[in-house]
Amino acid sequence: SGGGGGPPAAPKPKSAVEQLKGSSMVIDEEVLSHVERAEALKLKGNTHFKAAEYEAAIGEYEQGCALAEEAIRELSGVDEKAVIELLHACHLNTASCRLKLRQWGEAVEAANTVLRDGPHRKALFRRGQAYQQLARLDEARTDLKKAAAMDRSDATVAAALAEVEKALGVEPSPPPAAPPTAAAAARPPPGGVPTKPDGSPDYAQMEAMIDNISPEQMKQQAEMMQNMDPAQLAAMNPQFAGMDPAQIKAMSSMMANMDPATMKQMTKMASQMGATGGMPGMPGAPAAPAGGGGASGGAAGGAGPSA
C-alpha cells in the first residue's frame, strides 16, 4: 500500500466479550451477558468521570465489578484472565475517582482489591498517590518505586516518586535497571499452541495448561460438544473442519462417557507424545487463542480512567 510516515498503529485491544466469543471453550450465554453489561457500565462510568461526576462514575464501576465477579466464577484459564482484567479496570477507575474526591482511604482499598491478585503497576501508582496524601510517605515510596521499575518510561510515576523522596529528605532512587534485551518475548502461539523462543511447540507448557482445567470442566465440555452440530464444532475449533460428522459425534460421545480423570490423563498423554492439540475445545487444542489486550493498559500516570 502507499507509503506513510511512521510505524503502523497498534491494533485496538480486544474487549473481554470479544475474547470470550473467540474462546475455544463453550461460554454460557448468561456469562457473556454479564460481561457485556459490565463493559457497558465501565464505559458509562468513564463518561461520568470525564464530566467530573465522580460519585456517579463510582456507582457504574461498582455495578460493573459485581457483574464481572459473577462471570469470573464460571470461567477459567485465558477466559477468566480476560474478565479479571475488566474487573481490575473497574476497581482502578474507582480508585481514580476516590483520589479526585480526596477520599484517600477508599482509594487505598480500591487499589488493594487489585493488588490481592498480584503486582499491578497502575494499582501501585494509585495506592502510592493515596499514601502520599495520607502522609504515609515510606509506604508511598515503596509503591511508587515498584511501579517505576515496572515501566521505566512512565514520567508521571517517576515525578511522583521524586516528589515523595524529596519530602522524605532521602537520596533520589536510581533509574530502574533496563529489562533484558534478548529476544525473549514469546511469539504468538500458532493455532493456540504455545511455543518456545525458537518457534517449536512447547509441550511442557501445553501440559501445564491442561493441569489448570479440572476433570469436571473437561467432562462438561465434552457433554456440550455432544449436542453441537458439525458446523458449530468446526467454528469452535478449526481442527474439526473437514472431519466426518459421524466421527466427530462418536468422539464426543466417547469423551462424554469417559471417567473425567481418565479423559484428562489421555489429553496430557497426547500432548506429551507431541500431538498438536489436546481435547478439542479445551486449552491445548489448536484453536484460535482468546486474544490479548486488556481493559487497563497504558501508562499508570494520568488522571483519566482505564480504557
Side-chain angles (χ1 to χ4, degrees):
S1 60
K12 182 180 177 182
K14 288 185 178 180
S15 69
V17 166
E18 288 173 328
Q19 292 186 62
L20 293 185
K21 287 180 177 178
S23 172
S24 58
M25 299 281 283
V26 179
I27 307 297
D28 185 83
E29 285 297 326
E30 186 176 4
V31 172
L32 284 173
S33 174
H34 281 356
V35 176
E36 197 161 23
R37 287 165 58 200
E39 287 188 327
L41 287 162
K42 187 187 75 168
L43 292 176
K44 286 178 66 177
N46 291 356
T47 300
H48 285 303
F49 186 98
K50 291 170 185 174
E53 299 164 352
Y54 303 120
E55 294 284 3
I58 289 170
E60 304 291 356
Y61 294 140
E62 289 183 341
Q63 289 183 65
C65 286
L67 287 167
E69 285 170 351
E70 283 189 44
I72 287 166
R73 287 195 284 269
E74 305 299 324
L75 299 169
S76 63
V78 292
D79 300 324
E80 179 185 29
K81 182 181 177 184
V83 184
I84 286 174
E85 288 180 359
L86 169 62
L87 175 64
H88 285 176
C90 289
H91 283 304
L92 290 168
N93 293 352
T94 298
S96 294
C97 291
R98 298 296 188 186
L99 290 170
K100 290 289 188 181
L101 293 168
R102 305 177 67 82
Q103 297 172 347
W104 316 126
E106 290 89 342
V108 169
E109 283 305 311
N112 282 343
T113 303
V114 175
L115 290 166
R116 289 189 193 107
D117 290 334
H120 192 292
R121 187 171 56 86
K122 278 192 174 184
L124 288 165
F125 176 63
R126 300 278 185 257
R127 191 172 70 177
Q129 289 178 295
Y131 280 154
Q132 181 181 5
Q133 297 299 327
L134 291 166
R136 294 165 62 174
L137 298 182
D138 287 318
E139 291 164 288
R141 185 188 185 211
T142 298
D143 278 354
L144 294 171
K145 283 181 71 173
K146 290 177 181 177
M150 294 168 79
D151 183 358
R152 299 167 65 245
S153 68
D154 195 325
T156 306
V157 174
L161 175 59
E163 186 178 332
V164 167
E165 290 179 332
K166 182 178 179 181
L168 282 168
V170 299
E171 287 291 322
S173 297
T181 55
R187 303 175 190 176
V193 178
T195 58
K196 299 176 183 177
D198 64 2
S200 62
D202 188 337
Y203 295 113
Q205 188 177 343
M206 287 173 60
E207 186 174 341
M209 291 167 67
I210 295 167
D211 281 333
N212 288 327
I213 303 297
S214 71
E216 289 71 24
Q217 286 175 308
M218 296 188 78
K219 185 174 179 65
Q220 182 183 34
Q221 290 293 305
E223 289 170 348
M224 288 182 178
M225 287 163 56
Q226 266 191 301
N227 299 317
M228 290 184 176
D229 61 44
Q232 289 175 308
L233 288 166
M236 181 181 77
N237 194 318
Q239 185 183 15
F240 291 127
M243 285 182 64
D244 178 55
Q247 183 182 5
I248 296 174
K249 284 294 182 184
M251 179 176 61
S252 301
S253 178
M254 179 186 71
M255 290 178 175
N257 293 310
M258 191 182 294
D259 173 70
T262 303
M263 178 166 52
K264 183 170 182 176
Q265 185 61 33
M266 286 182 65
T267 308
K268 289 180 68 173
M269 286 172 61
S271 73
Q272 290 165 353
M273 292 170 63
T276 55
M279 172 181 163
M282 298 297 295
S296 56
S306 301

